[in-house]
Amino acid sequence: MQITKRVLIVEDDDFTRFMMRSIITTLGIDVDLAQDGAEGCQKISENPEEYGLVLMDIHMPGVGGLEATNRIRAHPSDPPRHVPIIAVTNDTRYHDDEYVERLGMNGYATKPITAGTLLGYVGNFCASETTRKSLS
């Protein structure tokens, strides 16, 4: 039996964090929140095996999503070096799978993010087999 992993939402906007968390928790999946990239990196470092998915805002004050992703990918061990990271942004420069993959991310989601998009990423990266079947 596969253990369900947590989702880490790294997002500086309170409303966006609230909405994403509300949608994901309907699946019974635990969610952690970080207000910027520095806090997100700290949470991952403290609990490297906990997360099955990171939803990373690109543009945040302080440590933004790109710098946070670089820090996570530079980690000397795995986990967390290979945790799936999804760019969450309305910046169209990042709405290209090949481009975000070159930046170290596993995909992107456009803002405003839809429930279907969120649930798809959760199902692909951190849900148990039982949860995946219920999403099908």
Side-chain angles (χ1 to χ4, degrees):
M1 181 174 150
Q2 181 180 351
I3 297 171
T4 302
K5 299 277 190 165
R6 301 176 86 122
V7 174
L8 176 61
I9 298 172
V10 185
E11 168 67 56
D12 64 323
D13 182 74
D14 293 336
F15 180 74
T16 302
R17 273 195 322 269
F18 171 79
M19 291 306 297
M20 289 172 40
R21 181 182 193 176
S22 296
I23 292 166
I24 294 167
T25 58
T26 63
L27 294 175
I29 293 179
D30 291 331
V31 175
D32 282 343
L33 303 173
Q35 294 183 17
D36 62 27
E39 185 180 356
C41 288
Q42 179 182 351
K43 287 182 178 278
I44 289 173
S45 287
E46 291 171 355
N47 299 296
E49 296 185 22
E50 291 289 314
Y51 299 105
L53 176 64
V54 177
L55 298 168
M56 181 76 72
D57 185 15
I58 294 291
H59 301 295
M60 296 178 283
V63 177
L66 296 178
E67 183 178 343
T69 298
N70 289 334
R71 289 181 186 182
I72 293 165
R73 297 300 185 227
H75 199 277
S77 63
D78 188 34
R81 190 175 60 237
H82 290 102
V83 65
I85 301 173
I86 302 300
V88 181
T89 183
N90 62 2
D91 187 337
T92 58
R93 291 178 293 174
Y94 301 96
H95 295 176
D96 180 300
D97 283 325
E98 289 180 23
Y99 181 65
V100 296
E101 284 178 23
R102 286 193 306 269
L103 296 172
M105 298 180 172
N106 300 83
Y108 72 91
T110 60
K111 284 184 178 178
I113 193 166
T114 65
T117 298
L118 273 177
L119 298 178
Y121 280 125
V122 169
N124 285 336
F125 291 113
C126 61
S128 67
E129 190 62 34
T130 303
T131 305
R132 278 193 196 103
K133 286 179 183 175
S134 71
L135 289 172
S136 300

